[in-house]
Amino acid sequence: MMAKGQGRVGWVAVLAFVLALPWSIAGAGLLPPMLVLLAIIAFPVDARFWRLRAVSMPLVFSGLFLAWVGISFLWSPYDNPEQLPKTLIGIPLYVLLALRIGGLRGRWQARTEAAMIFLVIALGLFLFAESLTDGAMTHAFKVAVEGYDALPEADVMIYVNRGLGHATVPLLLLAGPAALIAYRAGGLVVGVVVMLLAGVAAFSFGTEVNAVALLLGLAAAVLTFFWPRPMIAGIFGSVAGGVMIVPVVLPGLIAIMPQALRDALPLSWVWRLEIWTYVSGLIRAKPLFGYGLDASRPLNSEMELAGYQIEMLPMHPHNASLQVWLETGLIGAALLSCALVFLGGRIASAPRLTRDQAVAAAWVLVTYVSLVLFSYGVWQEWHQAAMALAATAVMFLGARKPAQ
């Protein structure tokens, strides 16, 4: 017998993964509004869902962190409040949708898993074709539809590769858990194909951070296979510690970096070093409360690097820890770190945690952290939405009964 509400949530789940394909191909920018709408459709009306069972420390500290993020806007020099609803409403709805879809069982879980495999295979094949043709389809769309024909070809390709790099993120986050789901169902070949397609996409389109995320996620997954529960606790604890100490140790590490190593880095990474040094100085000037939500946008400056005039803070610091410290200060960083520690402990001690689920969780967390630690802004809702889809895949890998 189908559980109450499973049909509605099941249709939402299938639609989420099927419709994620065109939105991911388009650069993932439209994933957030789609998932918000689907979360509203799947909103639980059963009072049992909302029944208070026990105090959840991860939920408490996550709520406090989001509340502090919202409060920090009161002293932000950026006067556009559009990020407030995107963060304070969007993130809870992504979490709700992940919990609703992740709770599916039986035939609706099987259908959702099939839709998930369809998404990763189809998206992977699209990105594989684009890697072989230098982004021909995306280039044609940019020129014919979005009006980029007036730009020099080199500038058009920057936008093409940026869009394809963003499209790779949902594939990377989903690849690990989707491959494990396929393997568990007897589809070893499918799982291998998913990982190969993700690997090709990660090393294409000139987006080095995707390759770094893939390699680090793979390393974490391998280690977690041998030590599931200790690795989960260790990874979450390490990420929490990183949130706290990165602004403290990063400037010193940059200062002692050998010049030969610095010269060997791609220009985009040297630019990151300059951004991180500049932001670290801003943090030291206002460490407790930070500058407020979205303050990264106006707190800018310029310098010359390798003959180019560059921005010292282009939209965000390209490092999640620095951005949390810069905009929410020590208080925000401490609340986020506590949320991560308690969440890691909760997952590591979960009675239904399986080896496959632990491996998938390590893959998703490390891949996501790598992306926001080295490149993307921490509040960007498109990769938060992609993370929600990946989280549902991780939930499907849990045991049906608690471990003895």
Side-chain angles (χ1 to χ4, degrees):
M1 183 176 179
M2 188 169 60
K4 185 176 181 180
Q6 288 264 304
R8 174 165 55 96
V9 178
W11 278 110
V12 163
V14 172
L15 285 174
F17 284 102
V18 171
L19 294 179
L21 175 62
W23 302 148
S24 296
I25 287 174
L30 291 176
L31 276 180
M34 179 193 74
L35 293 193
V36 165
L37 176 60
L38 291 177
I40 294 172
I41 295 173
F43 198 86
V45 294
D46 188 350
R48 290 175 296 178
F49 182 89
W50 302 104
R51 186 173 65 245
L52 185 63
R53 297 170 178 85
V55 176
S56 171
M57 297 309 291
L59 184 61
V60 168
F61 278 104
S62 297
L64 290 174
F65 172 68
L66 284 179
W68 179 254
V69 168
I71 292 170
S72 73
F73 185 76
L74 296 175
W75 56 83
S76 173
Y78 190 64
D79 58 3
N80 188 340
E82 67 175 346
Q83 193 60 51
L84 281 171
K86 290 179 180 179
T87 299
L88 302 186
I89 298 176
I91 290 178
L93 286 177
Y94 301 146
V95 172
L96 176 65
L97 183 65
L99 291 174
R100 293 288 279 165
I101 296 178
L104 290 172
R105 293 296 178 262
R107 63 187 182 188
W108 277 114
Q109 178 182 343
R111 291 166 179 169
T112 304
E113 289 176 346
M116 184 191 311
I117 298 299
F118 158 77
L119 168 62
V120 293
I121 293 291
L123 181 57
L125 289 174
F126 167 78
L127 293 170
F128 179 69
E130 290 290 79
S131 70
L132 295 178
T133 60
D134 291 327
M137 287 181 280
T138 304
H139 184 281
F141 185 83
K142 295 285 184 187
V143 171
V145 179
E146 297 186 354
Y148 284 75
D149 52 313
L151 295 178
E153 179 63 17
D155 292 342
V156 175
M157 287 308 300
I158 290 174
Y159 287 106
V160 168
N161 286 327
R162 181 182 299 168
L164 291 171
H166 285 191
T168 301
V169 170
L171 176 61
L172 287 181
L173 291 172
L174 279 162
L180 287 168
I181 287 173
Y183 172 72
R184 188 184 62 177
L188 174 61
V189 174
V190 174
V192 171
V193 169
V194 168
M195 295 303 296
L196 289 175
L197 290 174
V200 171
F203 283 90
S204 302
F205 318 121
T207 312
E208 295 93 351
V209 68
N210 286 343
V212 171
L214 175 82
L215 294 175
L216 292 178
L218 185 60
V222 170
L223 292 173
T224 305
F225 177 82
F226 294 102
W227 303 283
R229 294 182 188 271
M231 279 299 299
I232 289 295
I235 290 171
F236 272 90
S238 298
V239 173
V243 170
M244 293 300 296
I245 69 171
V246 161
V248 178
V249 303
L250 189 59
L253 294 176
I254 294 174
I256 65 174
M257 179 180 291
Q259 188 60 42
L261 176 58
R262 188 184 180 98
D263 293 340
L265 292 173
L267 183 60
S268 61
W269 287 86
V270 178
W271 187 2
R272 280 179 174 83
L273 297 181
E274 297 295 343
I275 294 170
W276 296 344
T277 301
Y278 174 71
V279 172
S280 297
L282 292 174
I283 291 171
R284 287 194 297 271
K286 202 170 183 179
L288 186 58
F289 296 101
Y291 294 81
L293 178 65
D294 260 0
S296 298
R297 294 176 180 269
L299 295 176
N300 205 350
S301 184
E302 290 188 351
M303 68 169 289
E304 186 174 308
L305 178 65
Y308 298 95
Q309 198 70 20
I310 64 166
E311 294 180 280
M312 299 292 287
L313 186 47
M315 302 290 286
H316 54 80
H318 292 69
N319 181 290
S321 180
L322 291 179
Q323 187 168 2
V324 169
W325 270 85
L326 179 69
E327 298 184 8
T328 68
L330 172 61
I331 296 175
L335 290 172
L336 178 58
S337 295
C338 289
L340 288 168
V341 167
F342 281 106
L343 180 59
R346 180 75 171 269
I347 295 174
S349 62
R352 286 184 169 88
L353 182 71
T354 63
R355 187 183 302 273
D356 286 347
Q357 190 176 40
V359 169
W363 168 279
V364 172
L365 177 64
V366 173
T367 301
Y368 181 77
V369 169
S370 301
L371 293 170
V372 297
L373 192 63
F374 298 123
S375 185
Y376 301 121
V378 73
W379 312 126
Q380 289 179 323
E381 60 275 5
W382 65 272
H383 58 65
Q384 294 169 357
M387 179 67 166
L389 291 177
T392 64
V394 174
M395 292 181 196
F396 285 160
L397 289 163
R400 296 292 180 265
K401 296 180 180 180
Q404 298 299 317

